[in-house]
Amino acid sequence: MGSKVLPGNHPESIRLAAEIIRSGGLVAFPTETVYGLGCDAVNPEAAAKVFEAKQRPAFDPLIVHLADQSMVETVAKHIPPTAIVLMDAFWPGPLTLILPKQPGVPDLVTAGLPTVAVRVPDHPVAQALIRESGTPIAAPSANPFGYVSPTTAQHVSDGLGDRVDLILDGGPCPVGVESTIVSLTGATPQLLRPGSLSLETIQSVIGPVDRAASAVEAMHAPGQSARHYATRTPVTILSAPGAWPVFRGGERRGLLAMSEPCELAGRFHAVEVLSPSGDLREAARHLFAALRRLDASGLDRIYSEPCEETGLGRAIMDRLRRCATSL
Ligand code: AMP
Ligand code: MG
């Protein structure tokens, strides 16, 4: 099924997209992290359409996207000083903050939680759309629930087809993995989801940040559900680059390599290299598109090299592990 795609950098596209948002429809739009499936965040019927289009369970809340920091009090309240420090330092950017919600935010958007997830995306198309719509935009990633997140307009249309009223095409997402989620509703800031803003960078500004301690707490960030961001093809993460397991005969296998792999000797039917020079930013940017290409290559199994778990590497390994969790 075809879906309507317009260039995101065109004022006429933004006007039309904003009209769709205001009238309760769905617009997919680019952000610096991944493409979002957006709706008017204060319209519960519109939010219901997002859950339906994605087949997303109602216990998984949406992130509310704002054009700038001045909009935050329209959806959140009791904003602590730490939140202001983080917003000043990292917005616009890939940092989502969990704050107490305003009553006007529909329960469906927050999955019944008394808190709301907010961020200001660092992308001109996203900002233009929110501003022109004149309302905060609730948006999860624009893909069927559980599948690899979309980083191009084509990925959105492959996954959602005509279940979205309009797709704004802004080219490939420059960052490529989702935002980092930090909750500011407890005594200490808590990391609910590692993402493209590194924990180290956040801690350099506000000091210690706790990690989500248990699966129960992690349910507050349902992007944390074990199998998420997942390919249909099973994924095995190697213990180290080049540490090949004993392969099964006749298996069609693919390799997801972090940097230029050595001595492959025809072991793989398909190989994706995330960053020839081993740069984590470049690897993150290419991660989801590479997983999608491998997933579409008719393989029995995808083998993935691990990467170092510092900075962006933490988010990359988090997404790979969720992919590798068996059903
Ligand atoms: P997605 O954009 O598909 O990654 O989904 C948005 C994610 O934001 C959810 O899966 C949750 O992890 C997180 N989130 C949204 N609202 C809240 C909230 N009130 N508390 C904690 N996490 C949230
Ligand atoms: Mg998602």
Side-chain angles (χ1 to χ4, degrees), residues 37-59:
L37 179 62
C39 73
D40 181 352
V42 293
N43 178 340
E45 282 84 39
K49 290 185 197 167
V50 168
F51 283 87
E52 198 178 281
K54 275 187 66 105
Q55 298 283 295
R56 184 180 176 103
F59 59 73

Side-chain angles (χ1 to χ4, degrees), residues 54 56 141 143 149 178 228-229:
K54 275 187 66 105
R56 184 180 176 103
S141 52
N143 56 310
S149 296
E178 294 83 353
H228 205 96
Y229 314 108

Side-chain angles (χ1 to χ4, degrees), residues 83-98:
I84 309 284
V85 172
L86 286 171
M87 291 177 210
D88 286 343
F90 301 117
W91 281 5
L95 174 66
T96 297
L97 299 178
I98 308 297

Side-chain angles (χ1 to χ4, degrees), residues 82 85-90 199-208:
T82 315
V85 172
L86 286 171
M87 291 177 210
D88 286 343
F90 301 117
L199 183 61
E200 291 87 340
T201 309
I202 296 169
Q203 289 184 334
S204 74
V205 172
I206 56 164

